[in-house]
Each structure stands twice: as structure tokens, then as C-alpha cells.
Amino acid sequence: MWRDAALVAGRDLRVELRSRVTANQVAPFSLLVLVLFAFALDPDRQLLERVASGLYWTAVLFAALLAIGRSASIDEPGGVRDSLRLSGLDPAGIFVGKAAAVAAVLLMLELLLAAGVIVLYGVDASGAPLLAVTCLAATVAVASTGTLYGALVSGLRVRETLLPLLLLPVLAPVLIGATRAFEAALAGVPADGWPWCGLLAGLAVLYSVAGALAYGTLLEGS
Amino acid sequence: MTATSTPGAPAGVAGGSSASAAAPGAGRGPGAAAAVPAHTGSRATRLLGALALAGVALLVLYGLVWSPADSEMADSVRLMYIHVPAASFLYVGCFLTTVASALWLRRRSPGWDALAGASAEIALVFAALVLGTGSLWGRPTWGTYWTWDARLTSTALLTALLMGYLALRRLDVDPAARSSRAAVLGLLLVPNVIVVNRSVEWWRSLHQGSTLKRLDPTIEGDMLVALMVGFLAIGLVFTWLLLHRFRVAWLEYRSERLDLDAAVTDRRAEAAREAHRGASPTDPAGPATSPGTPPTSTSGATPA
């Protein structure tokens, strides 16, 4: 399974590297979202700094929607999904591989957005361990949930419009947990943030397991 | 075979048994279309409907006339007799959807798929009812239609989850693919609801201490009776709606099958005609019901 996962992840990342859709479109878009938040809230540094965690994770979710849609659309043309189904690769491995590729892309985007938040909103990044662990757990949760729901809507004409409706309510707990953990870290009270990190880790495990189990059914029923 | 007799048994049982019965029915061809009635009632559901109507009438009397107004909340307490039972059956509907989805994944019989869809649809109606009555109640009691209370927020998210599930079901794709996707999504419904509920609860409890004052948990006398009548009436309405919605979904499934069967029968008849063409050139062209039929039969007939 892990070998299959590495193969699929390698393929997705290679496609990403060659097409540069994330670098050229999703990354600028996510920075644009940060700028738009500043327009919406007035460039009041204090206000922006106070709500930076929430804005950061909202921007991450928007970028994640695009990254997940992109990951699902790689498999659309030319019967790639049929090939995957017939390739003999373990469905759980395919799921883990696709989720890992999405997670790698998301981590890059999060680093970029973090730089953006520090520069644009004037946030002092304190409590680095908590921030890093939160990012990691939330990324795995978002990537696994997104890959699972991306498979649910793959091949449908209304894919782009249906995915956010399905995904965002499910990701609401991730947004809550990650925002609270970030707030705790930035406020200098990491002890408050670790339980939220636990929630994120739990969500990551839950949706990873659910996705690995369900992916075979989704692949065959498409 | 009439659809009224098919799911006449409790919905769940009917799903399993009639699914297997539908397969032999495939041989009936287009003629079976006439046998499917255009209504979903049966003697039992008509009785149930009458009971539900009577229950609602009783609830109106108890809720609006016979029960006293609350000392603190005055008349707005009467909304509780709809609100609380509707919320309970909202969760029953979600639970049924998940269970039916799990059973579909196990058995792959279309009845479970129909049940999952039917209960999710009714759950959404109840979610709207819960949010509507809740905000009407909140206005006089809390002074606002909406507050970021844990319960309200998670109910709103639950509504979004149900909408997403139903949106996925409504898509016009291959029924088998739709069923399996809907089943996976339905299976995740209750876990999602639990996760969302817990995390929202935790979020609110950390931020504003205790949530806003809930309804007084000790109710008694006529108010308790009214609430019980509410549970009974809303439960009857829920069951009645569920049975009918299930039957509509079942008929939809049957009609999809019938279209397919009709097409298959046409193709078979056409193949038989092709085979006999040499023997009888004046073969009457069959009714061109299947889209594939006309070009083939004309092209075959012209040289003859």
C-alpha cells in the first residue's frame, strides 16, 4: 500500500511541478484573499492582527478548495480513473498517495500564507512548535477530507460547484480547531492550544481511515 | 406487481425483499409499466395519515389552548411543542440515513438507497422547521433571532451537510455510481454531525462560559402532556412522510428500470426480426419506441 501511495503521490506532484497550476494560480489567489480581507476590514493593523488566525485559516481553506479540485481534475481526462482502477494499485494506497500530494501542496501554500500574514498583517509568530504541529495536523485533516470528497464528486459536471458545499461544513471543525490553536500560540499561551491540536489530529486520523476504506467503493462506482 | 404491495411491509424489510423481486420483473418489458400505479398510498398509510392529522389537531389544541403559558416565557413556550420533537426526529432522520447507507454498502439493494434518500430529505425539512421555530422563539426570549450558541451553529452546519448530501443525490448521473457515492456520503453523515456538534460545543463553551439559558428542564403538568403529544404527532407525521417519500423513490427506481427494460426488449425484438428477415421480407416494423430502433430498422428495410 505504501509503495502504491508513493507512486501516486509522485505522479500527482510531478504533474503539479510540470503544470505549475498551484504556483502560478492558486498561490497568487491565496495571497489575493489576504489582501481582500484587509480591504474588507480596513487596514487597521490592530484589528487585522487580532483576527489574523481566523483570516489565515479561512484563506487556507479557500486555497485548499482549489488545490483539492485540481487534484481531482488531474484524473479526469483520458479515462485516468479507469486506468487507476485497472492498474492493480491498492485503492487505499491511491487515496493515501493523492492525499499526501495534496498535503504537500497545502504545506507550501501555508508557508506562503504565513509569510503573507506576517508581512501584511504584522503578526509576531510566537509559539513555533504549536504553530508547526497545528499546521501539520490541520493539513493532513484537510487533505484527507478533501481527497475523499473530491472522489465523491469526481467525474461530475457540477464538480466545482458541488465540492465546496460538501466540503466546507465538514471542514468547519478544522477551521475552529486550527484557529483556536493559532490564537493560543500567538497569544503566548500554548497550553490552551494543544487540546485543539488534539482535535485536529483526531480529525486527521478519522478522515484518513474513512477515506482509505471508502476509496475503493468510490473508484469502482464511478 | 403493484408498488403499493411492494413496500407495504416496514420500509426496511421491503427494501431487501422487493429488490430481489425487481430482477425477475425485468422480463416483463414495457407492459409492466401500466401495472405501476400513480399513487403511493395504501390502506395502512391512509390510516397512518389520518392518525397523523388527528395527532396534529390534538397538538394544536394542547399546544395553543389547553396548556398554560409559561411564567417566564409566556406564550413563546408553545413553540417548544413543535421545536423539540422536530429536533429529535431530525436526528432520527440523519441516523436512518447513515444506517441505510451502511446497509446499502453491504447488501447493494436499491431499497436501502431509497430509504437513505427519503429520510435525509425529511430530515432537511425538519431541520428547516427546527431553525425556523428556534429563531422565532429566540427573538422574544433572547432578544435576537440568531446567536452563536453551540446548538444553533451546529444545527445550521447540519442543515448544510444535509443539503450537500441531497445535492449529490439529485445529480443526473448513472444511478449505480450515484448510489455508491451517496452511500459513502450518507455513511459519513452521522460521524460528521457528531464531530461538528462536539467541536462547536467546545468552541462556544471555551469562549463565553456557559451557553445562553436553556429551557427549564423541569416541566410538568399540562406542558409535559403537550410536549408528549408533540412527540407523538411529529413522530406520526415523520413516519407518514417517510413511507410516502420512500415509495416515490422506489417508483422512481422502478421507472428507471422499466425504461431500461423497454429498451432491452426492443433490442431483442429487433434482433429477432433481423434474424427472420430473410424468411419474411414483409416483416412489419415494430413500434419505434427505443431511440436506437428507427435507424436500424429503416436501413434494414430499404434494401429488402
Side-chain angles (χ1 to χ4, degrees):
Chain A
M1 176 185 121
W2 297 111
R3 200 185 57 88
D4 297 352
L7 278 174
V8 174
R11 180 205 62 153
D12 278 18
L13 288 175
R14 209 152 38 237
V15 169
E16 211 43 74
L17 216 58
R18 287 179 186 163
S19 68
R20 298 189 192 282
V21 169
T22 308
N24 289 347
Q25 292 166 26
V26 181
F29 163 78
S30 55
L31 286 178
L32 201 55
V33 171
L34 286 187
V35 176
L36 286 179
F37 281 145
F39 290 158
L41 296 174
D42 238 27
D44 170 0
R45 293 286 278 222
Q46 280 175 337
L47 175 65
L48 282 175
E49 200 179 339
R50 207 171 62 240
V51 296
S53 325
L55 297 184
Y56 173 79
W57 281 106
T58 312
V60 168
L61 282 196
F62 284 149
L65 280 180
L66 294 185
I68 290 159
R70 172 76 190 143
S71 158
S73 70
I74 288 177
D75 291 348
E76 290 302 320
V80 176
R81 253 171 320 122
D82 291 335
S83 316
L84 274 179
R85 186 165 40 196
L86 296 174
S87 63
L89 295 176
D90 184 2
I94 299 177
F95 170 78
V96 173
K98 286 194 81 68
V102 171
V105 168
L106 276 180
L107 278 176
M108 291 294 156
L109 287 171
E110 280 167 19
L111 277 179
L112 179 73
L113 280 170
V117 165
I118 290 171
V119 172
L120 296 172
Y121 300 171
V123 171
D124 274 337
S126 58
L130 179 58
L131 292 184
V133 175
T134 303
C135 269
L136 205 63
T139 304
V140 174
V142 171
S144 54
T145 317
T147 307
L148 174 57
Y149 280 76
L152 276 172
V153 299
S154 68
L156 304 176
R157 262 172 300 149
V158 293
R159 182 160 41 85
E160 287 97 349
T161 41
L162 185 55
L163 183 64
L165 175 62
L166 294 184
L167 199 52
L168 288 179
V170 181
L171 287 183
V174 177
L175 179 65
I176 295 174
T179 307
R180 297 308 127 191
F182 260 43
E183 277 179 354
L186 295 180
V189 275
D192 287 357
W194 287 110
W196 289 108
C197 233
L199 170 75
L200 292 173
L203 289 174
V205 171
L206 173 69
Y207 287 108
S208 298
V209 171
L213 291 179
Y215 210 72
T217 307
L218 292 176
L219 209 57
E220 121 208 354
S222 60
Chain B
M1 168 200 263
T2 63
T4 41
S5 69
T6 314
V13 183
S17 61
S18 43
S20 48
R28 284 160 202 263
V36 178
H39 60 86
T40 57
S42 68
R43 189 189 295 271
T45 48
R46 270 185 220 109
L47 184 66
L48 190 65
L51 279 177
L53 269 182
V56 169
L58 194 64
L59 175 61
V60 168
L61 280 177
Y62 250 108
L64 295 182
V65 183
W66 292 341
S67 71
D70 188 67
S71 53
E72 279 181 42
M73 288 179 274
D75 281 335
S76 69
V77 75
R78 300 180 194 282
L79 278 168
M80 178 184 74
Y81 308 136
I82 298 178
H83 181 79
V84 175
S88 308
F89 281 97
L90 160 63
Y91 288 112
V92 170
C94 293
F95 184 71
L96 267 179
T97 299
T98 294
V99 170
S101 299
L103 284 165
W104 186 88
L105 284 171
R106 239 184 115 76
R107 306 260 169 79
R108 307 266 164 165
S109 59
W112 293 119
D113 185 44
L115 179 64
S119 55
E121 236 169 67
I122 295 160
L124 182 60
V125 172
F126 276 55
L129 197 63
V130 168
L131 285 176
T133 53
S135 53
L136 282 181
W137 179 83
R139 181 68 186 160
T141 315
W142 294 338
T144 170
Y145 288 114
W146 185 264
T147 146
W148 293 101
D149 173 56
R151 228 165 255 258
L152 271 71
T153 315
S154 54
T155 307
L157 282 173
L158 166 58
T159 310
L161 287 172
L162 283 169
M163 281 177 170
Y165 175 78
L166 290 173
L168 183 67
R169 285 196 72 90
R170 191 133 316 146
L171 293 180
D172 191 22
V173 291
D174 172 37
R178 189 179 55 210
S179 300
S180 66
R181 287 169 191 223
V184 170
L185 194 56
L187 189 62
L188 285 169
L189 185 64
V190 163
N192 281 336
V193 169
I194 293 171
V195 165
V196 166
N197 260 320
R198 291 293 93 208
S199 51
V200 169
E201 192 99 13
W202 191 12
W203 168 55
R204 287 310 356 176
S205 63
L206 267 192
H207 258 237
Q208 56 175 34
S210 65
T211 50
L212 285 153
K213 191 167 70 87
R214 296 257 318 119
L215 282 170
D216 187 6
T218 58
I219 60 169
E220 50 196 15
D222 281 342
M223 287 165 84
L224 186 62
V225 175
L227 186 60
M228 290 297 129
V229 171
F231 267 104
L232 184 74
I234 300 283
L236 284 170
V237 169
F238 178 87
T239 317
W240 183 77
L241 284 173
L242 184 67
L243 280 174
H244 277 273
R245 191 61 193 86
F246 172 80
R247 285 173 184 173
V248 171
W250 182 252
L251 288 178
E252 274 170 9
Y253 166 77
R254 294 264 304 155
S255 89
E256 273 173 6
R257 288 295 299 254
L258 285 174
D259 286 349
L260 188 67
D261 292 344
V264 168
T265 315
D266 276 356
R267 297 294 305 172
R268 287 221 177 101
E270 191 190 320
R273 276 200 304 279
E274 295 280 347
H276 287 111
R277 178 130 305 156
S280 56
T282 55
D283 182 51
T289 47
S290 153
T293 312
T296 336
S297 55
T298 46
S299 66
T302 323

